[in-house]
Amino acid sequence: MREGVVMTTRLSALDSAFLAVETPTAHMHVGWAAVHDPPAEGPRPSFEELRDHIGSRIGRAPRYRQLLRSVPLGLNAPVWTDDPSFDLTRHVLRSDRKRLGEVVEACMSEPLRRDRPLWQIRIAPRLEDGRIGVVGKAHHCMVDGIAAVELASMLLDSEPEPPPSEPDSWHPDPAPRPAALLAGGIADLARGPIKVATLPSEAVRSPRRAAELAGRAGRALRTLLGSVRPAKPVDALNPPSSPRRHLAFLSRPLDDLRTIKGSFETKLNDVVLAASAGAMRRLLERRGQRPIPLKTMVPVSVRERDSAGELGNRISFMFVDLPCDEPDPARRVRRIHAETSRRKLAGEPEGANDIVRSIARVPMPVQGAVSRFVASPRSFNLVVSNIPGLRERLYLRGCELKEAYPVVPLADRHALSIGVTNVGDGLYFGVYADRESLPDADAVARDLEESIEELLGAI
């Protein structure tokens, strides 16, 4: 390592984007709300025992004891460095609230502090039904939806009795000095153009490489055109934002959606989108608004198998027009399947990934401006995210995981997102809403259930 240059992990362009779009009314954390049964036999673990168990697992992911440090003059993206004052009690908190929804609202309505590692877990040791509630959040610059699931699974075991704790010899590295942060930021900037400059020579040496680059450029251009195609803001979904949050819950047997998927010969995600389209149609009708197609951002994982366990974001996206104007549920799911198939065949998720990576080569102020535009209601109306979940039985210090509802963050002037994941044979929808601008999120969850029943009835 050269004198004065700090070798650290720098935020990617996509990770930086999630920092750039955060505002006092748009908290960019992803998360989950889980319910655990107490042990069938033996004593119930106390809050302190659960907290210490979580602390014993944090060493498996060093990022959870790191914080962000900015580069002087904002010349490059921030870097992750060890937190010399890391204190588990700042991150794992007790909640004495009796309803899971109240734990979620208290946790998710507050932003994560930037002067400490960007995650928090709240444990309600005894909900009103006797079960244990666990609500967690981590900043989107740190994890995507799949990595958040991996964080949750890192705390869990496949057997009720957890294995012995691993010895933890962690000691924080010294904090880098501003001059070293600046030198590292400049060095990384200098390396960027060198990588770009090698592309033409690669294309000359390899016709196959040239064709690949041309194809990727075409996909990126099509994706860019789709991204800038304006969305029509909708009063019910794109009003001014507040910081208050609410999570409505819906659970369904996974087999219900598999039955719909098999009958219409679609993908499971198409069924999720079709159910969401039906729910949005009902919401607009309840508000006295004419149902129209809604431009929807659909995250797509580009996480490779050998990157499992890595933090940061490995997601791309595509935009899908939810056919909320279509009254027939069968035609809705077929229209969605045709559109998603066409967009995937055209390579739009890969094109979006190339665009995000290319943004890393422009100045930081431009990156921030692009990020804010992409996150605006002029670009899309809502997010629907299907997150691969957990199939095996898992336990938090002997307490079996029974339900888990995802939290998909809301950008400014976005009042609603829909996330779904599975635990065993159950499918769990988290309808995440701005509590002030969309106070009827629980009704939207019922709309979603009615839309699933409508699809089952159309078979």
Side-chain angles (χ1 to χ4, degrees):
M1 182 173 66
R2 297 191 304 275
E3 181 93 21
V5 177
V6 178
M7 304 301 288
T8 52
T9 302
R10 190 174 307 282
L11 285 185
S12 69
L14 182 55
D15 296 341
S16 298
F18 290 118
L19 276 184
V21 301
E22 186 166 56
T23 72
T25 55
H27 310 147
M28 298 307 294
H29 41 246
V30 300
W32 75 93
V35 177
H36 297 256
D37 279 349
E41 299 179 1
R44 183 190 193 99
S46 67
F47 163 73
E48 290 77 14
E49 289 171 327
L50 292 170
R51 181 190 63 201
D52 292 346
H53 170 79
I54 292 171
S56 72
R57 300 296 174 87
I58 290 300
R60 298 180 180 183
R63 184 62 44 78
Y64 287 89
R65 291 191 286 208
Q66 293 184 321
L67 47 75
L68 283 175
R69 295 191 187 275
S70 299
V71 174
L73 307 178
L75 287 181
N76 209 329
V79 295
W80 294 106
T81 65
D82 289 347
D83 178 9
S85 303
F86 178 77
D87 182 351
L88 183 68
T89 64
R90 292 177 173 180
H91 298 275
V92 185
L93 310 178
R94 179 189 180 103
S95 174
D96 290 322
R97 298 174 187 268
K98 299 300 182 182
R99 297 175 182 270
L100 183 65
E102 294 175 352
V103 183
V104 174
E105 289 179 16
C107 180
M108 299 300 171
S109 298
E110 298 177 356
L112 287 158
R113 291 180 52 165
R114 298 280 183 94
D115 62 347
R116 59 184 60 167
L118 294 172
W119 66 277
Q120 185 183 100
I121 293 175
R122 299 196 188 192
I123 300 174
R126 189 182 292 271
L127 298 173
E128 59 183 356
D129 60 4
R131 298 190 294 176
I132 298 163
V134 179
V135 176
K137 62 180 178 179
H139 201 285
H140 211 336
C141 74
M142 183 173 169
V143 296
D144 55 28
I146 292 177
V149 170
E150 290 173 350
L151 164 63
S153 63
M154 180 182 76
L155 310 177
L156 306 175
D157 299 292
S158 58
E159 300 292 336
E161 186 67 29
S165 298
E166 303 165 5
D168 186 2
S169 58
W170 180 78
H171 295 286
D173 288 337
R177 295 180 179 179
L181 289 170
L182 181 62
I186 293 172
D188 286 349
L189 283 175
R191 281 188 284 270
I194 295 174
K195 294 179 182 178
V196 177
T198 63
L199 293 179
S201 60
E202 288 182 29
V204 170
R205 291 195 303 268
S206 170
R208 180 179 297 179
R209 177 63 170 158
E212 178 187 341
L213 291 172
R216 288 176 58 175
R219 289 196 299 267
L221 178 59
R222 287 192 297 271
T223 301
L224 181 61
L225 293 175
S227 301
V228 300
R229 174 176 59 85
K232 180 180 180 181
V234 176
D235 291 342
L237 298 174
N238 308 117
S241 298
S242 85
R244 298 185 63 198
R245 296 292 179 264
H246 176 72
L247 186 68
F249 310 109
L250 172 64
S251 61
R252 296 286 304 203
L254 181 56
D255 282 346
D256 282 356
L257 275 76
R258 284 177 172 161
T259 297
I260 299 168
K261 165 185 173 288
S263 296
F264 288 101
E265 299 182 340
T266 66
K267 301 293 186 181
L268 190 66
N269 199 47
D270 296 331
V271 180
V272 170
L273 291 171
S276 301
M280 295 302 98
R281 178 179 175 84
R282 286 170 167 77
L283 171 64
L284 294 175
E285 289 177 335
R286 192 165 55 249
R287 295 292 184 89
Q289 300 175 26
R290 181 174 61 87
I292 62 172
L294 297 175
K295 188 179 177 186
T296 302
M297 177 182 280
V298 181
V300 178
S301 175
V302 291
R303 188 175 291 270
E304 299 174 355
R305 289 184 179 180
D306 59 2
S307 67
E310 291 184 10
L311 299 182
N313 286 273
R314 303 291 188 276
I315 57 172
S316 184
F317 58 87
M318 63 180 178
F319 292 108
V320 176
D321 289 324
L322 290 189
C324 306
D325 55 327
E326 174 56 67
D328 183 84
R331 284 199 289 267
R332 277 200 298 267
V333 71
R334 290 191 179 104
R335 281 175 57 178
I336 286 171
H337 178 61
E339 183 175 357
T340 58
S341 298
R342 175 174 57 80
R343 292 185 182 278
K344 288 178 181 178
L345 188 63
E348 289 195 15
E350 294 82 2
N353 189 43
D354 286 341
I355 289 173
V356 169
R357 294 172 65 183
S358 68
I359 290 174
R361 302 183 181 108
V362 302
M364 289 299 294
V366 178
Q367 289 185 32
V370 171
S371 301
R372 285 186 287 272
F373 171 75
V374 171
S376 79
R378 296 187 298 275
S379 297
F380 64 96
N381 299 112
L382 77 157
V383 178
V384 178
S385 182
N386 183 5
I387 303 162
L390 308 165
R391 295 305 309 273
E392 61 180 322
R393 298 177 72 171
L394 294 169
Y395 301 84
L396 177 68
R397 208 182 184 283
C399 305
E400 185 178 358
L401 174 67
K402 304 301 289 187
E403 304 169 16
Y405 301 89
V407 169
V408 178
L410 302 175
D412 253 335
R413 297 188 73 95
H414 287 84
L416 179 72
S417 66
I418 298 174
V420 60
T421 194
N422 66 286
V423 175
D425 293 325
L427 203 60
Y428 298 92
F429 291 83
V431 180
Y432 190 52
D434 183 324
R435 187 171 181 81
E436 290 190 9
S437 59
L438 196 99
D440 54 344
D442 292 309
V444 174
R446 292 192 293 271
D447 293 336
L448 193 56
E449 183 158 37
E450 291 175 6
S451 183
I452 293 171
E453 290 291 345
E454 193 177 41
L455 287 166
L456 287 167
I459 294 172

